[in-house]
Amino acid sequence: MISIKTNDEIECLRIAGEITGSTHNYLKPYIKPGITTKELDKLAEEYILSRGATPSFKGYDGFPATICASINNEVVHGIPSNRTLKEGDIISLDIGACYKGYHGDSAWTYPVGEIDDKKKYLLEHTEKSLFKGLDAIHDGCHVGDIGYAVEKYAREHNLGVVRELVGHGVGTDVHEEPDVPNYGARHTGPVLKEGMVIAVEPMLNLGTRKVYMLEDGWTIITADDKPSAHFEHTVLVTKDGYEILTRR
Ligand code: MG
Ligand code: MG
């Protein structure tokens, strides 16, 4: 059952989304060679708490930190640590904030200093694939329309689409129904209605789509060690399209 949010719920989701997007804005200037992912995590937690919200991921299934920080070949769910960012790295930050019980969820991949052309290509086209997916959304669309649009764009650009992890509904739980895969066929899957809230989050790889989990039980990495990028927005389904709740 996919919930349709009331106006009061949508107001809380807008605020949670705004705090999530603003946390990205707040962290961006700190993403430089020399900072550790643990330091970024601390900054994010302090900022979210200062906004009267709480980190959505800390404690979720036992996740130990506020943000997921995934570097280069790490796809998602990297645990913040004393690892230092280096010139030429890319880092995906996945951030969730909970306001009055409602969540925002947004990931973005950032360059650390100057990055090579292959990584630039990956970031540019993974971000564009997110908007291809979002542009398929409107009242009455199918979830499969979103995945079809993302996958088509990724294939045209020779990028591997991670299938093991998917987007999702968002509300009082950060992961609600439905699953929103980054692959699929048009006119298949659940129908989306005005007032539903979902996170769309393509994870694209420069090489193979295949991934596996490290022994820490969290970090997902690419099977060929090539870089991976992750772009995610939480959006409200509207009559004619969508409203981004986690705007920057
Ligand atoms: Mg998500
Ligand atoms: Mg996320």
Side-chain angles (χ1 to χ4, degrees):
M1 170 80 186
I2 309 172
S3 65
I4 293 180
K5 272 64 181 180
T6 65
N7 287 339
D8 286 348
E9 290 182 303
I10 289 168
E11 252 337 287
C12 289
L13 286 157
R14 278 200 183 100
I15 296 169
E18 188 276 318
I19 294 168
T20 305
S22 295
T23 309
H24 275 280
N25 285 341
Y26 177 71
L27 290 184
K28 202 176 168 191
Y30 292 99
I31 303 171
K32 285 186 178 151
I35 197 163
T36 68
T37 51
K38 215 174 209 173
E39 288 170 315
L40 290 173
D41 185 66
K42 186 163 180 280
L43 288 164
E45 180 167 19
E46 286 167 356
Y47 180 80
I48 290 169
L49 293 174
S50 80
R51 294 292 313 274
T54 53
S56 298
F57 304 151
K58 197 168 192 175
Y60 186 93
D61 278 347
F63 189 75
T66 292
I67 62 172
C68 302
S70 310
I71 300 170
N72 296 333
N73 63 331
E74 298 173 350
V75 181
V76 288
H77 303 165
I79 301 172
S81 71
N82 292 321
R83 182 170 171 184
T84 302
L85 297 187
K86 295 199 300 288
E87 180 85 17
D89 284 343
I90 55 171
I91 180 164
S92 302
L93 297 183
D94 197 350
I95 302 175
C98 179
Y99 178 79
K100 290 191 178 169
Y102 291 86
H103 296 272
D105 186 7
S106 180
W108 215 254
T109 304
Y110 299 93
V112 181
E114 269 301 307
I115 58 172
D116 66 30
D117 287 346
K118 282 184 177 169
K119 284 177 174 165
K120 277 184 195 158
Y121 179 91
L122 174 68
L123 266 52
E124 178 188 342
H125 293 298
T126 307
E127 181 178 349
K128 283 186 177 158
S129 79
L130 166 62
F131 287 92
K132 290 285 174 189
L134 293 177
D135 287 345
I137 297 175
H138 56 83
D139 181 79
C141 80
H142 290 259
V143 165
D145 300 339
I146 301 169
Y148 173 82
V150 171
E151 186 181 31
K152 179 170 182 289
Y153 186 84
R155 283 202 175 162
E156 285 165 1
H157 292 84
N158 248 321
L159 296 169
V161 181
V162 175
R163 298 171 80 97
E164 287 79 356
L165 300 131
V166 296
H168 48 90
V170 180
T172 51
D173 199 325
V174 71
H175 296 129
E176 296 187 348
E177 287 182 56
D179 281 354
V180 182
N182 296 303
Y183 57 90
R186 278 186 282 189
H187 313 307
T188 63
V191 174
L192 295 181
K193 296 280 182 200
E194 190 176 357
M196 291 178 178
V197 173
I198 59 168
V200 178
E201 50 178 314
M203 288 147 263
L204 303 188
N205 301 342
L206 257 188
T208 177
R209 71 170 179 81
K210 299 214 169 82
V211 298
Y212 65 91
M213 189 187 282
L214 291 184
E215 279 170 5
D216 65 15
W218 284 104
T219 315
I220 306 288
I221 72 166
T222 57
D224 58 7
D225 278 335
K226 288 189 179 170
S228 182
H230 184 200
F231 287 81
E232 175 185 31
H233 270 312
T234 301
V235 303
L236 169 69
V237 179
T238 63
K239 185 153 185 23
D240 302 315
Y242 60 92
E243 175 188 329
I244 295 178
L245 301 178
T246 46
R247 260 191 301 270
R248 302 291 181 269

